[in-house]
Amino acid sequence: MMEEQAKREVVKTPPLKKLRKSFSIFSCYLGEKIDLKKLQENLKKYPYITRDPPIVLKLALGQYAVLTKFGVVTFWNVPKRLREEFIQEISQFVEEFDKNYPYFDTLKVFIGKETEDVKFGKVYLTKIDKEKVQVISFVISQSVALERFEKEIEQRVSELERLIGILRLGKIKKLREKDLLREIGDILAVRQRTISHLSLFDKPETTWERAELERLYNKLFYEFELGDRFDILNEKIRFLADHNKLLLDFISTQRGHFLEMIIIILILIELLIFLGETFLKW
């Protein structure tokens, strides 16, 4: 009797494979930052799954958008047309908005696995909930935002190396002080902007609530190589800081030499005037 009941229970329970669902994730960079407070105050069209950052909105049945403070929005199963419409709707809340930024990433999430894992751009979950949506979206958003800063810092490092190369070859005439100061200003601005945003790349508070969320975050963090990328970025920031100081010292020295030349010229002029007056007296 018990064996027959057990068989009936097994038949009633569908296998995990049939229960498995999947999500296609698309994450893209829109601008410096998203004002989540103003967005929530003004955007009433969509229901909010959670209002704590990163905020999750339901765009349609089974389709979601997750927004972070640092300018990245992550879409879950959202078709391109709806993505474009939503991006246009929130553009007014994005600082330095540009829909054509070339920074984006994709991910596949599968639900209904016996164990949870992350590998080769795919996330396998036993089940899905809003906290896991937040964690997954947060990490891929970190990766996308980090790519923006990586590219920007790399450009400035290349520019700085070009300036140093000119100085090393002694081609000082090619560097006008005004141009040099502008380049240094641009480099410092990028460095400061990057540093100010790095504080936003901390572990999300959600991971402190459940051990499984922290494990998921750590696996995603490793998958996107965020630790190594952070270290490399910080190293380049230190490089910019050190060499900016050298360039500023060079400008200061050049100004010192210029002032010395002016003083010498003034002394010579005064000497000539003195000699001229003395000659006239004779």
Side-chain angles (χ1 to χ4, degrees):
M1 184 71 177
M2 292 180 65
E3 290 180 358
E4 291 179 359
Q5 185 178 356
K7 287 180 180 179
R8 285 197 298 271
E9 289 178 354
V10 171
V11 172
K12 288 179 181 178
T13 305
L16 288 174
K17 189 174 182 180
K18 290 185 178 180
L19 292 174
R20 190 180 72 179
K21 297 179 181 179
S22 65
F23 288 90
S24 296
I25 297 177
F26 180 83
S27 187
C28 58
Y29 183 87
L30 300 180
E32 282 293 303
K33 62 181 179 180
I34 302 175
D35 191 330
L36 299 182
K37 183 179 179 181
K38 284 187 177 179
L39 184 143
Q40 293 183 71
E41 290 173 351
N42 294 277
L43 189 62
K44 309 292 186 180
K45 181 178 178 180
Y46 307 100
Y48 288 82
I49 305 301
T50 174
R51 290 182 177 270
D52 295 324
I55 63 174
V56 183
L57 297 88
K58 182 179 179 181
L59 304 188
L61 183 62
Q63 300 174 9
Y64 306 93
V66 186
L67 292 86
T68 64
K69 294 179 181 179
F70 42 89
V72 181
V73 58
T74 300
F75 296 100
W76 289 63
N77 272 7
V78 180
K80 184 177 180 181
R81 177 179 291 183
L82 182 53
R83 291 202 306 260
E84 292 175 348
E85 290 177 4
F86 181 76
I87 288 173
Q88 192 58 43
E89 288 174 333
I90 67 171
S91 61
Q92 59 184 308
F93 308 110
V94 183
E95 185 177 313
E96 295 189 24
F97 169 77
D98 187 348
K99 65 179 181 180
N100 296 317
Y101 275 117
Y103 313 115
F104 64 90
D105 207 344
T106 60
L107 197 64
K108 288 286 290 185
V109 177
F110 297 94
I111 317 300
K113 300 294 289 184
E114 293 182 356
T115 58
E116 299 197 338
D117 200 4
V118 179
K119 55 185 177 182
F120 307 119
K122 296 178 181 178
V123 181
Y124 301 95
L125 303 176
T126 55
K127 59 181 180 179
I128 190 74
D129 56 36
K130 63 181 181 181
E131 288 79 15
K132 289 181 180 179
V133 169
Q134 284 182 303
V135 170
I136 294 170
S137 300
F138 190 84
V139 178
I140 191 173
S141 295
Q142 283 182 313
S143 179
V144 170
L146 186 58
E147 182 185 0
R148 178 265 167 97
F149 294 120
E150 287 170 334
K151 295 290 177 62
E152 199 166 23
I153 287 291
E154 184 61 38
Q155 290 175 356
R156 293 308 171 187
V157 168
S158 298
E159 181 59 29
L160 185 59
E161 289 175 341
R162 184 187 70 82
L163 296 176
I164 293 172
I166 292 174
L167 295 177
R168 186 182 294 117
L169 294 173
K171 299 179 180 179
I172 299 176
K173 291 182 179 180
K174 286 189 175 182
L175 290 177
R176 293 188 303 173
E177 182 177 316
K178 182 179 178 181
D179 295 335
L180 189 56
L181 285 172
R182 185 173 62 249
E183 291 293 344
I184 292 174
D186 290 342
I187 291 169
L188 289 173
V190 172
R191 173 176 169 266
Q192 184 58 39
R193 185 160 59 246
T194 304
I195 291 173
S196 66
H197 280 73
L198 287 180
S199 62
L200 298 174
F201 295 151
D202 296 333
K203 187 180 294 187
E205 294 182 6
T206 313
T207 58
W208 299 102
E209 299 173 3
R210 286 155 47 191
E212 62 177 314
L213 294 177
E214 185 171 8
R215 287 194 296 270
L216 176 61
Y217 175 83
N218 290 335
K219 288 179 179 179
L220 288 162
F221 192 89
Y222 178 80
E223 175 70 17
F224 285 100
E225 301 178 333
L226 293 184
D228 293 339
R229 291 166 65 189
F230 282 143
D231 291 341
I232 293 172
L233 188 63
N234 281 323
E235 189 64 34
K236 290 181 178 180
I237 289 173
R238 283 194 291 270
F239 172 84
L240 289 177
D242 293 342
H243 287 77
N244 274 334
K245 185 177 183 302
L246 291 176
L247 289 176
L248 290 171
D249 289 343
F250 169 77
I251 290 175
S252 178
T253 302
Q254 290 296 104
R255 284 179 173 175
H257 291 162
F258 180 70
L259 289 174
E260 288 176 2
M261 289 297 298
I262 291 177
I263 292 171
I264 292 172
I265 291 171
L266 289 174
I267 292 173
L268 288 174
I269 291 173
E270 288 185 3
L271 181 60
L272 289 173
I273 292 173
F274 173 76
L275 291 174
E277 290 177 348
T278 303
F279 178 77
L280 290 174
K281 287 180 180 179
W282 288 353

